[in-house]
Amino acid sequence: MKFKTKNIAPICAAGTLFFILSCASQPNSQRTLIWSDEFNGKGLPDSLKWNYDAGGDGYGNNEAQFYTKNRIENARMENGNLVIEAKKESWEKNKYTSARLLTKGKFSFQYGTVEVRAKLPKGRGTWPAIWMMSEGMKKWPDDGELDIMEHVGYHQGYIHASVHTKKYNHIQGTQKTDTLRVKDVSEKFHIYKADWTPEKIDVYIDDHKFFTYENKEKTYDAWPFDQPYFIILNLAIGGFWGGKEGIDDSIFPQKYYIDYVRVYQNK
C-alpha cells in the first residue's frame, strides 16, 4: 500500500535560527529511548536481552514447529538484523524448527511506544508475529495480550493487529482487531509500532494508524493493560490460523528479518 504524506515546512523569518532548531528537535523531545536491540553483533541473540520459549507442543494453537533454544540455525544476528529462520527438518516429533524470543524476565515496561522494523517471511503456512504479554501472566486471556503485527502466509500482504482480554478474545469470537494491506511486506522492511497509554492503544505501520483500542469500560475484564508487559518475536509454522490452508513444504527455509526493536516512554 502506498501511503500518501504531506510535506509540512515551518515558515520562519530570516534570523530565527532558534525557532528552526526548536521545530527540528520537537518530535524527539517528547520521548526517551528506554530499551533497544539493534542486532549489530554476530551469532546468537544477546542473552542479556532475550530468553527463548522452547518446545513443540503447539503452544495452544496447534502449531507445527519445534521452537529451539540457543540454536544459531534458527535465531542469529547477521548483517545488522535478527534472523529467525524456519526450517523443514525433523526435531523430536515435529517436522519443522523455528524460534520464539521474548524479553520476559529481562525487560518489561508499562506504557510507551514499541517500534520494530522488520521484513516478513513469505509462503503458505508461515505465521510471524510481534506481540506482548503480561510479565505477571497467570491466566490467558484474562491478563491480556497485544498483537502488534501478525501475518499469515496464505493471506499475503495483510497485516493484523489485535488485543485479547477476558471479555474480548478469539476463543469467544469477540477479539478487537483490524487489518491493513501492505503488499510488499516480504520484500521491504516496514516499521510496526504500538503507542500504549492508560487511555488507549494505537497500532501503526510506517506511521499509518490502522487500529485503536480504547479503555472505555475501565474494567480488568476489558482492559488489563495497566501492568508491565514483555515483548515476543516469533515465527510459527502452521497452527489453527497460520495453517488454515495447509503448509507449503516447497517454501522452506523461510527467514524473518528484524532490523531493530526500540521502546520509548514519554518524558
Side-chain angles (χ1 to χ4, degrees), residues 178-246:
D178 212 337
T179 303
L180 181 68
R181 184 170 184 240
V182 187
K183 62 182 180 181
D184 59 356
V185 294
S186 300
E187 290 72 41
K188 294 182 179 179
F189 282 87
H190 292 275
I191 297 174
Y192 303 92
K193 181 175 75 171
D195 283 336
W196 171 27
T197 73
E199 291 78 35
K200 63 179 180 175
I201 296 168
D202 291 323
V203 180
Y204 302 75
I205 300 176
D206 298 329
D207 289 325
H208 181 93
K209 184 169 67 175
F210 72 103
F211 173 68
T212 296
Y213 180 66
E214 295 183 272
N215 183 13
K216 293 181 178 180
E217 299 175 50
K218 312 294 183 183
T219 65
Y220 196 79
D221 286 0
W223 182 272
F225 303 109
D226 288 328
Q227 57 187 314
Y229 273 59
F230 61 89
I231 300 166
I232 309 169
L233 305 172
N234 71 291
L235 172 51
I237 301 300
F240 292 127
W241 188 19
K244 187 178 179 181
E245 296 188 7

Side-chain angles (χ1 to χ4, degrees), residues 60-96:
N61 295 310
N62 197 36
E63 297 167 21
Q65 81 290 325
F66 189 101
Y67 283 133
T68 65
K69 179 179 180 180
N70 293 324
R71 185 174 187 246
I72 203 164
E73 291 86 351
N74 294 119
R76 61 189 176 275
M77 291 187 289
E78 183 178 275
N79 299 322
N81 297 307
L82 169 65
V83 181
I84 299 178
E85 183 170 352
K87 303 171 74 71
K88 185 181 183 302
E89 57 181 342
S90 296
W91 196 277
E92 295 190 6
K93 63 179 181 179
N94 301 78
K95 297 180 180 180
Y96 311 91

Side-chain angles (χ1 to χ4, degrees), residues 82-84 118-121 128-130 149 234-235 255-258:
L82 169 65
V83 181
I84 299 178
K119 183 170 68 172
L120 310 185
I130 302 164
M149 184 286 297
N234 71 291
L235 172 51
K255 297 178 182 180
Y256 176 18
Y257 295 92
I258 298 97

